[in-house]
Amino acid sequence: MSGYTHVEGLSSEGVQRLRSVYEPLAGSVRALIDATIRSEVDADEVAAVRAQIDDATARLRAEQIDGPFGVRITSDGDRMPWGNPAIGIRNPMAPPLVIIKDGDGAVRTDFHLGAAYEGPPGHVHGGMVAMVLDHVLGEVAASDPDSPRFTGTLTIRYLRATPLGDLHAEGRITRTDGIKAFAAGHVSDADGITAEAEGVFILPKWARG
């Protein structure tokens, strides 16, 4: 499938080295996004900061790839979906989610959503809640890297508004049927579940052998 790139000669140690370079950069830009939303400095200071940002952007663009990052696969089989808007460590738009796989096959993640993800005042945009649930259920449905499954349908029930701040999400497979996996999960805060979802995830034609 287009977008999956095998990188020869890149070991797990090399991945960690790259991670140590680019993950902090994304974190700094993530903080910049939050500061941009909430700052109330005067116009002259905004103009000065903008000039610095434009200069930094030009420096980063001095050498870059064509098109999106895709998913890079190393010599050791590590996958690097670093541009992903849910988990991508190089994507400042991503929270990013850190997915933990439990022994029973379920997945979970604890994460924080701040001002950049606001929809209704003080609460997470519903589309962001949907993205989190889509990714978490997709992770559990595609737990075998040799048998990826993509979203066929996703049904979400918003039980109440999800507040900004510290959140939790989890998902599990409910059943499988041939090329389809059925999954369910939810997002919650300290007071309980805010949204729950069910989805059908399908093995794509190119991966059916």
Side-chain angles (χ1 to χ4, degrees), residues 75-146:
S75 301
D76 296 333
D78 294 327
R79 292 180 178 240
M80 301 164 59
W82 288 1
N84 186 289
I87 61 172
I89 64 166
R90 288 186 63 167
N91 189 340
M93 293 171 55
L97 303 179
V98 177
I99 303 296
I100 298 172
K101 296 182 179 181
D102 293 331
D104 61 359
V107 302
R108 55 189 168 86
T109 181
D110 293 300
F111 56 102
H112 182 91
L113 296 180
Y117 307 100
E118 186 178 40
H123 294 83
V124 181
H125 191 290
M128 186 65 195
V129 174
M131 186 183 78
V132 168
L133 286 166
D134 179 61
H135 191 89
V136 168
L137 269 61
E139 284 274 0
V140 76
S143 57
D144 179 358
D146 295 324

Side-chain angles (χ1 to χ4, degrees), residues 11-203:
S11 65
S12 295
E13 291 77 11
V15 170
Q16 290 305 313
R17 181 183 60 79
L18 290 173
R19 184 176 189 131
S20 70
V21 171
Y22 290 107
E23 188 172 23
L25 173 62
S28 293
V29 178
R30 196 173 292 119
L32 176 62
I33 292 170
D34 182 84
T36 300
I37 294 169
R38 299 192 292 128
S39 178
E40 294 187 340
V41 299
D42 63 32
D44 288 342
E45 185 69 0
V46 169
V49 170
R50 181 183 172 191
Q52 292 177 318
I53 293 171
D54 290 346
D55 177 66
T57 300
R59 291 169 64 185
L60 290 172
R61 288 199 186 281
E63 185 176 346
Q64 66 177 28
I65 61 173
D66 293 328
F69 191 85
V71 176
R72 300 181 186 183
I73 304 172
T74 71
S75 301
D76 296 333
D78 294 327
R79 292 180 178 240
M80 301 164 59
W82 288 1
N84 186 289
I87 61 172
I89 64 166
R90 288 186 63 167
N91 189 340
M93 293 171 55
L97 303 179
V98 177
I99 303 296
I100 298 172
K101 296 182 179 181
D102 293 331
D104 61 359
V107 302
R108 55 189 168 86
T109 181
D110 293 300
F111 56 102
H112 182 91
L113 296 180
Y117 307 100
E118 186 178 40
H123 294 83
V124 181
H125 191 290
M128 186 65 195
V129 174
M131 186 183 78
V132 168
L133 286 166
D134 179 61
H135 191 89
V136 168
L137 269 61
E139 284 274 0
V140 76
S143 57
D144 179 358
D146 295 324
S147 300
R149 292 187 174 96
F150 296 158
T151 310
T153 61
L154 184 69
T155 302
I156 301 173
R157 289 174 290 279
Y158 295 91
L159 306 181
R160 59 185 172 89
T162 301
L164 295 172
D166 294 330
L167 299 167
H168 173 84
E170 57 186 70
R172 66 190 183 281
I173 292 288
T174 55
R175 66 185 177 95
T176 57
D177 182 7
I179 63 172
K180 297 180 180 180
F182 297 79
H186 64 259
V187 168
S188 60
D189 65 359
D191 296 323
I193 296 174
T194 64
E196 53 190 17
E198 296 178 345
V200 180
F201 297 82
I202 302 171
L203 186 71

